[in-house]
Amino acid sequence: MAADSHLVLELWRRLAAASTLVEGVERALPVLAERLPLVALVVRRLELAGPSLETLAAASCAGSPLTRPHSVLGPDSLRDLAAAGGDRVARAVRQGAADDPFAVAVPDGAEGEAMVGPLWGPDRLLGVVVLLAGRKGHFRPAHREIATELLEPLAAALAAHCRVHDITTECEAARADRHTLLTKLGRRQIDDGLVGGDSGLREVMAQVDQVSQSDVPVLIFGETGSGKEVIARAIHNRSRRAAGPFLRVNCGAIPSELVDSELFGHERGSFTGAVHQRKGWFERADGGTLLLDEVAELSPAAQVRLLRVLQDGSFERVGGQHSLRVDVRIVAATHRDLFGMVSSGQFREDLWYRLAVFPIELPALRERPEDMPALATHLALRASRRFGLSPILPTRADIDLLTGYPWPGNVRELAAVIDRAAILGNGERLHVAQALGVGRTASMPAGGPKPAVAQTGPEVLASLDEAMATHIERALSLAGGRIEGLRGAARLLRVNPHTLRSRMRRLGIDWRAFRSP
């Protein structure tokens, strides 16, 4: 019995150490050949569609070629296998008798006996194992008891092989479906179809294309809900790191006392509750891109450690004594005036210069009304799929209502309004007016913006761009053409200098025209 226990353990060990089923069978055969008159070991998978048996793995002892074993080893069906071994083989394959699962047969053309046993999975028969004896070899009852010990580990190895095969098949099918869909859409990547990429976000996407091929840090400015993560992901997908991980961490959602642990990880026992070693966001993003969303919320201590990572790519886990190195591309994002925070001492100036190597200003939704039809259509179709409704597209009147709203929550708020409109319309139409609360001021948040109302009087208002250009030109005149600094136009307007320059370029304002003589 002790020898049998050692045999079972050795079989499990060899099969578990193998990377493939073929390798496992080749490793298991020498162990069994020491105890059995064995020259060949074959594992065959049951194909339910046939039903038929497919040979997955076969191994033979050195110097013992397989001589005409076609009745057992060839591509025969279950009926042929039953004919080679008699009714008992068929009964064993179908039922897997617990007392003696193996059936012994002498296949036509073989020079020794063959034992055939079933390999059962959790809920069905997966296949069979065939053990072929040597020249005029015979299997005694003791041999059959030993061979029975092989069934469980081999069944586990076959089940693992089947799972890997099924997963691989599904992945290949998914990749083929993805390629087919992208081909129909005329795209190479999913993010190539970024809504607004060829209209309101044209300048932003041009900057994305410029910076994506380098590894310099990128700082994305934009209001809450304007799509900063979408732009960061577009940078990642267009970079050489596209095959690596893309991770997002919301710096504003991490308690200040846990920021170091979350970003850089910790060692076991470094503080109360640290029962395991933990990798931080930087380690997990190694080889890819890490988006530091709301980076302005980092504590001063975390800013110091982040600066070191940006400088030399090294850091230490909390409680650690060894320096670790990572290869991570940093993309930071914020909705706050980071330059103003630097001036007031709330954010480190040296970290600002490290992060703002390539700033990108993301315009608010109200600044790109030309994107509203495409965005509303995209979000309406997405809502229909999510809620199981009939596809309904927004009408021209719906677009006019949406365009006239100021959207303080940007695209995120637009998505919520479209979802609400789709639910209210119940698949028949989009109730945009009701979702916006037009005519029902009580439905709007207190103090929030009100829907646009058409002018009824003779007064003609300047467009938003014209009013903005006039206001910026007034500030530039007061600042003598200066943009940055304590007396610059950006400080007077209480906006980031990069934001101001971006809007000036869009509105065609030349700061040099306001320079003092």
Side-chain angles (χ1 to χ4, degrees), residues 248-255 281 291-295 297-298:
R248 170 188 173 271
V249 53
N250 187 343
C251 300
I254 305 175
W281 288 101
L291 170 61
L292 297 176
D293 201 6
E294 302 303 339
V295 70
E297 309 303 324
L298 285 175

Side-chain angles (χ1 to χ4, degrees), residues 39-40 42 44 55 58 60 64-76 81 84 107-114 130 132-133:
V39 296
V42 182
R44 311 193 68 189
T55 299
S60 60
S64 300
L66 304 180
T67 306
R68 298 181 64 194
H70 58 274
S71 295
V72 175
L73 307 180
D76 48 15
L81 184 63
D108 293 339
E111 298 182 347
E113 289 183 338
V130 181
L132 199 63

Side-chain angles (χ1 to χ4, degrees), residues 33-315:
E34 295 177 358
R35 309 284 300 277
L36 302 172
L38 195 63
V39 296
L41 177 65
V42 182
V43 174
R44 311 193 68 189
R45 180 182 181 180
L46 175 64
E47 296 291 343
L48 298 177
S52 62
L53 289 168
E54 173 194 5
T55 299
L56 295 181
S60 60
C61 295
S64 300
L66 304 180
T67 306
R68 298 181 64 194
H70 58 274
S71 295
V72 175
L73 307 180
D76 48 15
S77 67
L78 281 175
R79 293 187 301 273
D80 298 328
L81 184 63
D87 292 338
R88 188 163 184 212
V89 177
R91 193 165 54 252
V93 169
R94 287 196 305 269
Q95 301 174 3
D99 55 343
D100 186 7
F102 274 96
V104 178
V106 181
D108 293 339
E111 298 182 347
E113 289 183 338
M115 286 198 302
V116 182
L119 299 177
W120 290 92
D123 54 357
R124 68 179 182 89
L125 180 67
L126 298 178
V128 296
V129 57
V130 181
L131 294 88
L132 199 63
R135 185 183 299 271
K136 299 188 184 304
H138 297 283
F139 292 112
R140 299 192 300 273
H143 293 152
R144 289 158 70 167
E145 292 180 5
I146 295 173
T148 302
E149 304 289 353
L150 177 66
L151 292 179
E152 185 178 359
L154 259 184
L158 178 58
H161 171 87
C162 293
R163 286 195 297 270
V164 172
H165 178 269
D166 293 343
I167 291 172
T168 302
T169 302
E170 291 176 2
C171 288
E172 291 176 353
R175 281 195 291 267
D177 290 344
R178 178 180 183 275
H179 178 73
T180 301
L181 291 172
L182 289 175
T183 301
K184 289 181 178 179
L185 293 172
R187 301 177 186 171
R188 292 177 299 172
Q189 297 290 337
I190 294 297
D191 66 319
D192 282 347
L194 188 69
V195 179
D198 55 354
S199 50
L201 293 178
R202 187 185 301 108
E203 292 185 8
V204 171
M205 297 311 297
Q207 291 177 294
V208 168
D209 290 334
Q210 284 180 327
V211 76
S212 59
Q213 299 307 312
S214 66
D215 275 344
V216 300
V218 178
L219 183 57
I220 303 175
F221 296 97
E223 296 181 4
T224 299
S226 56
K228 296 186 288 294
E229 182 178 351
V230 174
I231 299 302
R233 192 176 293 275
I235 294 173
H236 171 76
N237 290 338
R238 286 166 165 78
S239 72
R240 63 178 181 85
R241 300 173 179 269
F246 175 85
L247 300 180
R248 170 188 173 271
V249 53
N250 187 343
C251 300
I254 305 175
S256 57
E257 63 273 13
L258 296 179
V259 169
D260 285 358
S261 173
E262 289 290 323
L263 292 181
F264 311 110
H266 61 253
E267 298 288 354
R268 178 181 178 183
S270 56
F271 54 85
T272 302
V275 294
H276 300 290
Q277 183 191 79
R278 182 186 183 279
K279 290 184 178 181
W281 288 101
F282 274 88
E283 282 186 84
R284 287 147 63 185
D286 192 18
T289 303
L290 179 62
L291 170 61
L292 297 176
D293 201 6
E294 302 303 339
V295 70
E297 309 303 324
L298 285 175
S299 65
Q303 292 178 31
V304 173
R305 299 191 67 181
L306 176 59
L307 179 62
R308 180 184 175 187
V309 177
L310 293 176
Q311 287 175 337
D312 54 22
S314 65
F315 64 93

